[in-house]
Amino acid sequence: MRSVATSLDEQALTALLRELGEGARPYRFGVAPNPCVGAAVLAGTREAGRGFHQVFGEEHAEIAALAAAKRSAIPASEWTTLVVTLEPCSTSAKTPPCIDAIIASGIKTVVVGALDPDLRHRGRGLEALKAAGVEILLMEGIAALDWVSPHFLGWCSHERLRRPRPWTIAKWAQTLSGHLSPPLPRNLDSVPDPRISGPEAHAEVQHLRSRVDAVVTGIGTVLADDPLLTVRPPGVTREAPMRVVLDSYLRTRPTGRMFTHEHGPQDAAGQVHVLSFAGADGGRARALQAAGAEVHGLHGSARDSLDLRGVQGWLWDQGARRVLLEAGPTLLQAMLESGFVDQVRIYTSDMRGGEGNSLAGWLAHAKLLERADSNAGDDAVIDAFL
């Protein structure tokens, strides 16, 4: 299998595709639901640059590889081939279509490790490249998606396309016993510190918030913690996610910090949306609207709470594709049991004990598709797909 413009033989291309797949996999939790992709620009047998899709909403692997090649000592006139683990995208979303940049680069051969599994786009990128005179080498199965990006296969599944809903990441901090609230202080005159995790974990969460379309919480968390749910440095604050509160009976206080807190010059505060039962207290709704919130009435469920499928549908209709769930154990448990959580990030401190319900039992029996363990300061971190 040899391309007219590619000097590498099949064995060398196979090795490169596998290497790019291995290089892409570590970014899978940061780009989901998008696939983790690796790409390299070749000049004959020399590599001019490589890149990976590393952050949701930011440049794809092909664009990163072309940028790396531009920084190299190899002039663009000598670039011959782009090797990429997945078919280049042909549609605009948070970034322009990669096929446009490939065609503009003058590269004449593209080696692809897998076709796009989304039937709405499958083959369209390759056809567009062919129409522009680019030669295509498809080496399907070398950088297999069920190994590189298994989560993306689920995202493109028939059921997910038939009943679309956002990719939901549940984030929580817990003690060693799985409690989401710290233990009460022994000295009853002391004020308990509500924080379980350390500063490094808090910094990571700001980055995570800046890479989602919405941050969702429940009324229990709002009443107990009076959170801001803003994006603060070191998070990227150029575009703030929506702040969404699930509040069946409109108990959110119009005087809460989400409405009254004066943000720092680099903080980013998204629009507050309060989701309640349709026809909930009109006076409370007007007070929240006067404070700056948008109030939306949704259907309830048999459990006297908002229908979570309806909430997911509302988020999708607002354009939310990647959502962060920051909530207490009640809403977390409901979302987990309903199957609406796709990914988890869990920070576990060395603190013992705690108040309220524990999620230790759930975690002990959870079925994880993928899992990566790391540390943020003194906290242990689990990233996993469900």
Side-chain angles (χ1 to χ4, degrees), residues 33 56 155 165-167 213 315-323:
F56 177 80
W155 178 248
R165 57 182 178 84
W167 183 269
D213 301 314
L315 287 164
W316 183 271
D317 290 342
Q318 304 308 305
R321 298 297 179 263
R322 192 175 201 243
V323 168

Side-chain angles (χ1 to χ4, degrees), residues 47 51 67 95 121 153-154 198 259 332 335:
E47 184 174 312
T95 59
H121 311 302
L153 294 175
F259 308 110
L332 271 174
M335 287 286 288

